[in-house]
């Protein structure tokens, strides 16, 4: 099998991706794991963990550097989400929604002005939300029937 060095297989991570995975894994093991049971019992995420996600840069993985993000890739976001999910699904989903839904939607569809207004805070200290639901599709985004039109 030939592997194109410019486009390696998705399962062949770069040294940076492996180092990132290891850093997120260590963070999840030391900073999140000791609190999982308590958070589950209280049905409440510890604000300190959310703050640490921001400190680690995990809440702005794909945001451009000039907005305070890491200017990294979707693959890096997936790596973070997977490693966080090994320890706590709720923390993983928080990071996932922030990066792959909220930030991505703003990067893809918002005007430059809206990007300048929201992306710096979403990379630094604002948790975004992404909500959708229809009676016929539940929260299946691909099955939504409602469309915006000018």
């Amino acid at each position: 099998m030939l592997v194109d060095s410019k486009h390696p297989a998705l399962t062949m991570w770069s040294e940076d991706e492996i180092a990132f995975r290891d850093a997120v894994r260590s963070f999840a093991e030391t900073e999140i794991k000791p609190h999982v049971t308590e958070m589950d019992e209280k049905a409440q995420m510890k604000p300190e963990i959310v703050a640490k996600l921001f400190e680690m840069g995990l809440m702005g993985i794909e945001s451009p550097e000039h907005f305070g993000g890491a200017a990294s890739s979707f693959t890096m976001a997936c790596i973070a989400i997977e490693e966080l999910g090994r320890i706590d699904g709720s923390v993983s989903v928080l990071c996932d929604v922030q990066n792959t839904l909220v930030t991505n939607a703003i990067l893809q569809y918002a005007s430059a002005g809206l990007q300048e207004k929201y992306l710096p805070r979403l990379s630094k200290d604002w948790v975004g939300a992404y909500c959708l639901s229809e009676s016929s599709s539940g929260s299946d985004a691909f099955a939504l029937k409602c469309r915006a039109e000018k």
Side-chain angles (χ1 to χ4, degrees):
M1 177 176 133
L2 294 174
V3 177
D4 179 355
S5 62
K6 291 182 183 179
H7 301 93
L10 292 176
T11 56
M12 296 179 66
W13 291 345
S14 69
E15 289 181 24
D16 287 345
E17 290 166 334
I18 292 168
F20 179 72
R21 180 205 58 202
D22 293 346
V24 176
R25 181 174 289 180
S26 176
F27 166 76
E29 291 280 348
T30 59
E31 301 293 335
I32 299 170
K33 190 173 186 175
H35 306 286
V36 170
T37 301
E38 176 189 356
M39 291 190 303
D40 284 350
E41 288 172 351
K42 291 182 177 180
Q44 185 175 28
M45 193 171 300
K46 293 179 77 64
E48 304 83 47
I49 288 176
V50 177
K52 289 177 182 180
L53 290 169
F54 281 108
E55 288 172 25
M56 286 277 300
L58 298 177
M59 298 296 273
I61 294 172
E62 291 184 81
S63 287
E65 286 181 9
H66 64 277
F67 292 133
S72 199
S73 67
F74 181 71
T75 298
M76 291 288 234
C78 291
I79 290 168
I81 292 158
E82 183 175 272
E83 288 303 318
L84 294 171
R86 288 176 66 250
I87 302 302
D88 187 271
S90 296
V91 175
S92 178
V93 168
L94 173 72
C95 183
D96 184 10
V97 169
Q98 181 87 353
N99 283 286
T100 64
L101 295 177
V102 176
T103 298
N104 194 314
I106 293 171
L107 285 168
Q108 294 293 319
Y109 305 112
S111 67
L114 289 175
Q115 289 180 4
E116 289 175 26
K117 180 177 181 178
Y118 292 107
L119 290 176
R121 295 299 302 270
L122 287 166
S123 294
K124 180 182 175 188
D125 58 7
W126 277 1
V127 174
Y130 191 94
C131 305
L132 60 96
S133 185
E134 284 184 353
S135 59
S136 63
S137 64
S139 59
D140 179 357
F142 293 107
L144 293 175
K145 294 177 182 161
C146 181
R147 299 286 181 252
E149 295 181 17
K150 285 187 177 185

